[in-house]
Amino acid sequence: MASSRRCANLAEHLAMVSAVTDKAAEKLRLGIMLRDIGFIACSDEIAHKDDTDPDLNEHTIRGLEIISGLNDELVEAIVRYHHSTLKSGDYPTGLPPDVLQCVNIALVCNRLEELVYGPDPCPKQEALEAIRAETQEGYWPEEEAELLARLLGN
C-alpha cells in the first residue's frame, strides 16, 4: 500500500506540472492505487514470476478484469499498461492523447518506484540516471521522464 501511495503522490505532482486536468489527475491517482489489484487473482507462482519477470504481466490483465466495472478508460489503461515500455509490444499507442499522457506519467513513476524500492533498490539519484539512460534507449517517454527528473531535483 505504501508503494502505491508513494507512486500515486509522485504521479499527481507530475500531472500538476504537465497541465493534466484535475479530473484526469484524480483518475491517474486512482489507477496507480489500483495498479496491482490483479495480484489477488493470480496464483502465488504467477505472482512471484510476475514480480520478477517484466514479460509476465498476468496481474495487469487480471487487474483490468477486476476493475472493468468502473468503465473508466484512463484508470483501466493505467492498471493494464503500468509495466509497458515504449518498446514493448503492448504499449498502448491507440489511446486518446490525454489518456496516453497519464499512462506515460504512470510508467515513469512506476519505474522509479521499482528502482528505488524494488528487489534491488538503489538511491533516487541513481534511479533517475537509470531512467535517463533507459529513456535514451527508447524505453520511456522523454517528456515525462524529463519532468520526473526536474521535479525530483536532478
Side-chain angles (χ1 to χ4, degrees), residues 101-115:
Q101 181 183 21
C102 288
V103 168
N104 286 342
I105 290 170
L107 292 178
V108 297
C109 291
N110 192 65
R111 181 62 177 145
L112 181 72
E113 186 73 21
E114 289 171 345
L115 291 168

Side-chain angles (χ1 to χ4, degrees), residues 26-72:
E26 201 174 293
K27 291 178 179 190
L28 170 62
R29 181 176 188 78
L30 178 60
I32 289 178
M33 292 298 292
L34 294 173
R35 73 183 192 248
D36 287 331
I37 196 167
F39 278 123
I40 65 172
C42 293
S43 69
D44 288 344
E45 181 183 347
I46 293 293
H48 178 69
K49 285 182 181 177
D50 237 13
D51 200 31
T52 58
D53 186 343
D55 295 326
L56 297 174
N57 288 311
E58 181 155 341
H59 81 280
T60 66
I61 296 164
R62 299 281 183 232
L64 183 59
E65 293 167 356
I66 291 167
I67 66 154
S68 64
L70 292 175
N71 292 320
D72 189 295

Side-chain angles (χ1 to χ4, degrees), residues 104-153:
N104 286 342
I105 290 170
L107 292 178
V108 297
C109 291
N110 192 65
R111 181 62 177 145
L112 181 72
E113 186 73 21
E114 289 171 345
L115 291 168
V116 175
Y117 298 100
D120 297 314
C122 66
K124 182 175 61 173
Q125 286 305 115
E126 191 176 313
L128 290 170
E129 290 169 17
I131 290 171
R132 182 174 288 119
E134 293 168 352
T135 300
Q136 290 173 349
E137 293 173 20
Y139 287 95
W140 310 116
E142 289 181 26
E143 182 178 341
E144 288 78 9
E146 180 57 35
L147 282 172
L148 178 68
R150 277 192 271 148
L151 183 66
L152 296 177

Side-chain angles (χ1 to χ4, degrees), residues 11-12 14-28 74 97-98 101-102 105 144:
E12 197 169 43
L14 262 181
M16 290 186 331
V17 298
S18 298
V20 169
T21 67
D22 289 346
K23 186 175 181 178
E26 201 174 293
K27 291 178 179 190
L28 170 62
L74 197 156
D98 58 325
Q101 181 183 21
C102 288
I105 290 170
E144 288 78 9

